[in-house]
Amino acid sequence: MYSRVMSTSTADRLIESTRELLWERGYVGTSPKAIQRHAGAGQGSMYHHFTGKPDLALAAIRRTAGELWATAEGVLNSPGTPYERIAAYLLRERDVLRGCPVGRLTMDPDVIASDELRAPVDEMLDRLRERLAGIVEEGQEQGQFAPSLDAEEIAATIVATVQGGYVLARASGSPAAFDTGVRGLLALLAPLR
């Protein structure tokens, strides 16, 4: 029992360390030695739990995508009108200058080149677009959004605004660019009167 608890703890430390390093350095910049050092785990522990760096990176990417999805779902399922829920998603607190831990992976050539590593990123973004499209459709049914809007296009625009906002904020060194993009999109989506 004791060794099982310790081994779960080591695996979690390895996954959390990999998540952090992937966000900071990307896949290429995250070496197994750096992961082990960050996690306070030895090489034997790493290879006891994972077959190698790709296996560990996949576990880390899946966990990150899962947590981001849970956060988005929590906001999008909150009470309020469809517009208010979309606004809450767009305005939720983020570490804008650090970027999106999932979105940044799309700029990593090694992640994009691997169907396996890219899959959880793509799946999470697809689920988010589908959920947002459903909320837009709900708003159309309630007369809040114009019936002529294409819900899937609006959902893609929302995701693109968030991801592009991260890029603009990081490039300028200021969250103002992110905030400006969000305010502009919310003005365009303002409910019909």
Side-chain angles (χ1 to χ4, degrees), residues 108-120:
D108 193 310
D110 289 310
V111 172
I112 294 306
S114 166
D115 290 341
E116 191 173 31
L117 293 176
R118 188 180 66 246

mmCIF file with all atom_site columns, all heavy atoms in Angstrom, residues 108-120:
data_model
loop_
_atom_site.group_PDB
_atom_site.id
_atom_site.type_symbol
_atom_site.label_atom_id
_atom_site.label_alt_id
_atom_site.label_comp_id
_atom_site.label_asym_id
_atom_site.label_entity_id
_atom_site.label_seq_id
_atom_site.pdbx_PDB_ins_code
_atom_site.Cartn_x
_atom_site.Cartn_y
_atom_site.Cartn_z
_atom_site.occupancy
_atom_site.B_iso_or_equiv
_atom_site.pdbx_formal_charge
_atom_site.auth_seq_id
_atom_site.auth_comp_id
_atom_site.auth_asym_id
_atom_site.auth_atom_id
_atom_site.pdbx_PDB_model_num
ATOM 1  N N   . ASP A 1 108 ? 4.120  24.070 -31.618 1.00 0.00 ? 108 ASP A N   1
ATOM 2  C CA  . ASP A 1 108 ? 5.268  23.190 -31.414 1.00 0.00 ? 108 ASP A CA  1
ATOM 3  C C   . ASP A 1 108 ? 5.305  22.172 -32.558 1.00 0.00 ? 108 ASP A C   1
ATOM 4  O O   . ASP A 1 108 ? 4.425  21.317 -32.658 1.00 0.00 ? 108 ASP A O   1
ATOM 5  C CB  . ASP A 1 108 ? 5.138  22.479 -30.074 1.00 0.00 ? 108 ASP A CB  1
ATOM 6  C CG  . ASP A 1 108 ? 6.415  21.799 -29.647 1.00 0.00 ? 108 ASP A CG  1
ATOM 7  O OD1 . ASP A 1 108 ? 6.988  21.056 -30.467 1.00 0.00 ? 108 ASP A OD1 1
ATOM 8  O OD2 . ASP A 1 108 ? 6.833  22.006 -28.503 1.00 0.00 ? 108 ASP A OD2 1
ATOM 9  N N   . PRO A 1 109 ? 6.299  22.249 -33.442 1.00 0.00 ? 109 PRO A N   1
ATOM 10 C CA  . PRO A 1 109 ? 6.308  21.360 -34.607 1.00 0.00 ? 109 PRO A CA  1
ATOM 11 C C   . PRO A 1 109 ? 6.322  19.876 -34.260 1.00 0.00 ? 109 PRO A C   1
ATOM 12 O O   . PRO A 1 109 ? 5.751  19.064 -34.990 1.00 0.00 ? 109 PRO A O   1
ATOM 13 C CB  . PRO A 1 109 ? 7.575  21.755 -35.372 1.00 0.00 ? 109 PRO A CB  1
ATOM 14 C CG  . PRO A 1 109 ? 8.296  22.751 -34.555 1.00 0.00 ? 109 PRO A CG  1
ATOM 15 C CD  . PRO A 1 109 ? 7.425  23.155 -33.410 1.00 0.00 ? 109 PRO A CD  1
ATOM 16 N N   . ASP A 1 110 ? 6.942  19.503 -33.146 1.00 0.00 ? 110 ASP A N   1
ATOM 17 C CA  . ASP A 1 110 ? 6.990  18.085 -32.779 1.00 0.00 ? 110 ASP A CA  1
ATOM 18 C C   . ASP A 1 110 ? 5.630  17.586 -32.292 1.00 0.00 ? 110 ASP A C   1
ATOM 19 O O   . ASP A 1 110 ? 5.281  16.429 -32.512 1.00 0.00 ? 110 ASP A O   1
ATOM 20 C CB  . ASP A 1 110 ? 8.057  17.836 -31.711 1.00 0.00 ? 110 ASP A CB  1
ATOM 21 C CG  . ASP A 1 110 ? 9.454  17.969 -32.289 1.00 0.00 ? 110 ASP A CG  1
ATOM 22 O OD1 . ASP A 1 110 ? 9.717  17.351 -33.334 1.00 0.00 ? 110 ASP A OD1 1
ATOM 23 O OD2 . ASP A 1 110 ? 10.265 18.710 -31.714 1.00 0.00 ? 110 ASP A OD2 1
ATOM 24 N N   . VAL A 1 111 ? 4.863  18.443 -31.643 1.00 0.00 ? 111 VAL A N   1
ATOM 25 C CA  . VAL A 1 111 ? 3.523  18.058 -31.214 1.00 0.00 ? 111 VAL A CA  1
ATOM 26 C C   . VAL A 1 111 ? 2.617  17.938 -32.431 1.00 0.00 ? 111 VAL A C   1
ATOM 27 O O   . VAL A 1 111 ? 1.888  16.956 -32.593 1.00 0.00 ? 111 VAL A O   1
ATOM 28 C CB  . VAL A 1 111 ? 2.946  19.064 -30.183 1.00 0.00 ? 111 VAL A CB  1
ATOM 29 C CG1 . VAL A 1 111 ? 1.481  18.781 -29.892 1.00 0.00 ? 111 VAL A CG1 1
ATOM 30 C CG2 . VAL A 1 111 ? 3.762  19.026 -28.895 1.00 0.00 ? 111 VAL A CG2 1
ATOM 31 N N   . ILE A 1 112 ? 2.682  18.912 -33.313 1.00 0.00 ? 112 ILE A N   1
ATOM 32 C CA  . ILE A 1 112 ? 1.828  18.914 -34.498 1.00 0.00 ? 112 ILE A CA  1
ATOM 33 C C   . ILE A 1 112 ? 2.181  17.744 -35.433 1.00 0.00 ? 112 ILE A C   1
ATOM 34 O O   . ILE A 1 112 ? 1.311  17.180 -36.088 1.00 0.00 ? 112 ILE A O   1
ATOM 35 C CB  . ILE A 1 112 ? 1.926  20.273 -35.225 1.00 0.00 ? 112 ILE A CB  1
ATOM 36 C CG1 . ILE A 1 112 ? 1.338  21.371 -34.326 1.00 0.00 ? 112 ILE A CG1 1
ATOM 37 C CG2 . ILE A 1 112 ? 1.221  20.255 -36.564 1.00 0.00 ? 112 ILE A CG2 1
ATOM 38 C CD1 . ILE A 1 112 ? -0.071 21.111 -33.835 1.00 0.00 ? 112 ILE A CD1 1
ATOM 39 N N   . ALA A 1 113 ? 3.440  17.369 -35.494 1.00 0.00 ? 113 ALA A N   1
ATOM 40 C CA  . ALA A 1 113 ? 3.865  16.266 -36.362 1.00 0.00 ? 113 ALA A CA  1
ATOM 41 C C   . ALA A 1 113 ? 3.420  14.903 -35.831 1.00 0.00 ? 113 ALA A C   1
ATOM 42 O O   . ALA A 1 113 ? 3.392  13.925 -36.581 1.00 0.00 ? 113 ALA A O   1
ATOM 43 C CB  . ALA A 1 113 ? 5.382  16.280 -36.524 1.00 0.00 ? 113 ALA A CB  1
ATOM 44 N N   . SER A 1 114 ? 3.052  14.833 -34.557 1.00 0.00 ? 114 SER A N   1
ATOM 45 C CA  . SER A 1 114 ? 2.648  13.567 -33.948 1.00 0.00 ? 114 SER A CA  1
ATOM 46 C C   . SER A 1 114 ? 1.123  13.512 -33.820 1.00 0.00 ? 114 SER A C   1
ATOM 47 O O   . SER A 1 114 ? 0.530  14.278 -33.067 1.00 0.00 ? 114 SER A O   1
ATOM 48 C CB  . SER A 1 114 ? 3.277  13.443 -32.555 1.00 0.00 ? 114 SER A CB  1
ATOM 49 O OG  . SER A 1 114 ? 2.658  12.399 -31.823 1.00 0.00 ? 114 SER A OG  1
ATOM 50 N N   . ASP A 1 115 ? 0.507  12.597 -34.558 1.00 0.00 ? 115 ASP A N   1
ATOM 51 C CA  . ASP A 1 115 ? -0.949 12.443 -34.462 1.00 0.00 ? 115 ASP A CA  1
ATOM 52 C C   . ASP A 1 115 ? -1.372 12.184 -33.019 1.00 0.00 ? 115 ASP A C   1
ATOM 53 O O   . ASP A 1 115 ? -2.393 12.691 -32.561 1.00 0.00 ? 115 ASP A O   1
ATOM 54 C CB  . ASP A 1 115 ? -1.436 11.293 -35.353 1.00 0.00 ? 115 ASP A CB  1
ATOM 55 C CG  . ASP A 1 115 ? -1.317 11.609 -36.830 1.00 0.00 ? 115 ASP A CG  1
ATOM 56 O OD1 . ASP A 1 115 ? -1.202 12.798 -37.192 1.00 0.00 ? 115 ASP A OD1 1
ATOM 57 O OD2 . ASP A 1 115 ? -1.319 10.648 -37.637 1.00 0.00 ? 115 ASP A OD2 1
ATOM 58 N N   . GLU A 1 116 ? -0.576 11.385 -32.309 1.00 0.00 ? 116 GLU A N   1
ATOM 59 C CA  . GLU A 1 116 ? -0.927 11.016 -30.935 1.00 0.00 ? 116 GLU A CA  1
ATOM 60 C C   . GLU A 1 116 ? -0.855 12.210 -29.989 1.00 0.00 ? 116 GLU A C   1
ATOM 61 O O   . GLU A 1 116 ? -1.756 12.420 -29.178 1.00 0.00 ? 116 GLU A O   1
ATOM 62 C CB  . GLU A 1 116 ? -0.004 9.900  -30.446 1.00 0.00 ? 116 GLU A CB  1
ATOM 63 C CG  . GLU A 1 116 ? -0.463 9.288  -29.147 1.00 0.00 ? 116 GLU A CG  1
ATOM 64 C CD  . GLU A 1 116 ? 0.369  8.081  -28.764 1.00 0.00 ? 116 GLU A CD  1
ATOM 65 O OE1 . GLU A 1 116 ? 1.571  8.022  -29.102 1.00 0.00 ? 116 GLU A OE1 1
ATOM 66 O OE2 . GLU A 1 116 ? -0.192 7.203  -28.088 1.00 0.00 ? 116 GLU A OE2 1
ATOM 67 N N   . LEU A 1 117 ? 0.206  13.015 -30.079 1.00 0.00 ? 117 LEU A N   1
ATOM 68 C CA  . LEU A 1 117 ? 0.340  14.171 -29.187 1.00 0.00 ? 117 LEU A CA  1
ATOM 69 C C   . LEU A 1 117 ? -0.629 15.289 -29.561 1.00 0.00 ? 117 LEU A C   1
ATOM 70 O O   . LEU A 1 117 ? -1.093 16.032 -28.702 1.00 0.00 ? 117 LEU A O   1
ATOM 71 C CB  . LEU A 1 117 ? 1.782  14.699 -29.199 1.00 0.00 ? 117 LEU A CB  1
ATOM 72 C CG  . LEU A 1 117 ? 2.849  13.784 -28.611 1.00 0.00 ? 117 LEU A CG  1
ATOM 73 C CD1 . LEU A 1 117 ? 4.228  14.404 -28.772 1.00 0.00 ? 117 LEU A CD1 1
ATOM 74 C CD2 . LEU A 1 117 ? 2.563  13.468 -27.152 1.00 0.00 ? 117 LEU A CD2 1
ATOM 75 N N   . ARG A 1 118 ? -0.918 15.411 -30.849 1.00 0.00 ? 118 ARG A N   1
ATOM 76 C CA  . ARG A 1 118 ? -1.818 16.475 -31.310 1.00 0.00 ? 118 ARG A CA  1
ATOM 77 C C   . ARG A 1 118 ? -3.282 16.159 -30.974 1.00 0.00 ? 118 ARG A C   1
ATOM 78 O O   . ARG A 1 118 ? -4.091 17.067 -30.762 1.00 0.00 ? 118 ARG A O   1
ATOM 79 C CB  . ARG A 1 118 ? -1.650 16.665 -32.817 1.00 0.00 ? 118 ARG A CB  1
ATOM 80 C CG  . ARG A 1 118 ? -2.403 17.863 -33.358 1.00 0.00 ? 118 ARG A CG  1
ATOM 81 C CD  . ARG A 1 118 ? -2.241 18.044 -34.871 1.00 0.00 ? 118 ARG A CD  1
ATOM 82 N NE  . ARG A 1 118 ? -2.846 16.942 -35.601 1.00 0.00 ? 118 ARG A NE  1
ATOM 83 C CZ  . ARG A 1 118 ? -2.186 16.045 -36.331 1.00 0.00 ? 118 ARG A CZ  1
ATOM 84 N NH1 . ARG A 1 118 ? -0.878 16.131 -36.441 1.00 0.00 ? 118 ARG A NH1 1
ATOM 85 N NH2 . ARG A 1 118 ? -2.810 15.078 -36.948 1.00 0.00 ? 118 ARG A NH2 1
ATOM 86 N N   . ALA A 1 119 ? -3.636 14.893 -30.905 1.00 0.00 ? 119 ALA A N   1
ATOM 87 C CA  . ALA A 1 119 ? -5.037 14.486 -30.731 1.00 0.00 ? 119 ALA A CA  1
ATOM 88 C C   . ALA A 1 119 ? -5.727 15.134 -29.525 1.00 0.00 ? 119 ALA A C   1
ATOM 89 O O   . ALA A 1 119 ? -6.823 15.681 -29.682 1.00 0.00 ? 119 ALA A O   1
ATOM 90 C CB  . ALA A 1 119 ? -5.156 12.967 -30.671 1.00 0.00 ? 119 ALA A CB  1
ATOM 91 N N   . PRO A 1 120 ? -5.147 15.123 -28.313 1.00 0.00 ? 120 PRO A N   1
ATOM 92 C CA  . PRO A 1 120 ? -5.877 15.734 -27.197 1.00 0.00 ? 120 PRO A CA  1
ATOM 93 C C   . PRO A 1 120 ? -6.051 17.244 -27.359 1.00 0.00 ? 120 PRO A C   1
ATOM 94 O O   . PRO A 1 120 ? -7.046 17.808 -26.899 1.00 0.00 ? 120 PRO A O   1
ATOM 95 C CB  . PRO A 1 120 ? -5.027 15.426 -25.962 1.00 0.00 ? 120 PRO A CB  1
ATOM 96 C CG  . PRO A 1 120 ? -3.893 14.598 -26.392 1.00 0.00 ? 120 PRO A CG  1
ATOM 97 C CD  . PRO A 1 120 ? -3.923 14.471 -27.880 1.00 0.00 ? 120 PRO A CD  1
#
